[in-house]
Amino acid sequence: MTEVELHGGPLDGTTVDTDDTDPDPWIAIITDHGTHPGGRALYAPDEAGTWRHVRDLRPEEL
């Protein structure tokens, strides 16, 4: 596990643990602070390895 900081979006500055062995690295965290309250904020690493906000998901999308 590696702790990463999230950039952009509703969870900017939050740190979370990620799985280094996951072949499809992304996380979708439940939040009431995004576009869709009760939905999820989707984050993924960019080419430099920085975890950036991709988009907000409605509660039923995942």
Side-chain angles (χ1 to χ4, degrees):
M1 292 287 203
T2 299
E3 185 175 79
V4 298
E5 183 176 347
L6 305 178
H7 295 272
L11 301 175
D12 186 41
T14 302
T15 56
V16 296
D17 288 328
T18 59
D19 183 352
D20 298 334
T21 62
D22 190 343
D24 187 23
W26 57 271
I27 52 175
I29 302 172
I30 296 172
T31 181
D32 285 328
H33 302 292
T35 305
H36 312 288
R40 296 173 188 258
L42 180 65
Y43 287 83
D46 63 15
E47 291 179 7
T50 301
W51 283 73
R52 302 243 178 238
H53 182 250
V54 176
R55 68 184 184 109
D56 291 330
L57 303 168
R58 291 179 179 86
E60 65 275 4
E61 286 187 274
L62 194 61

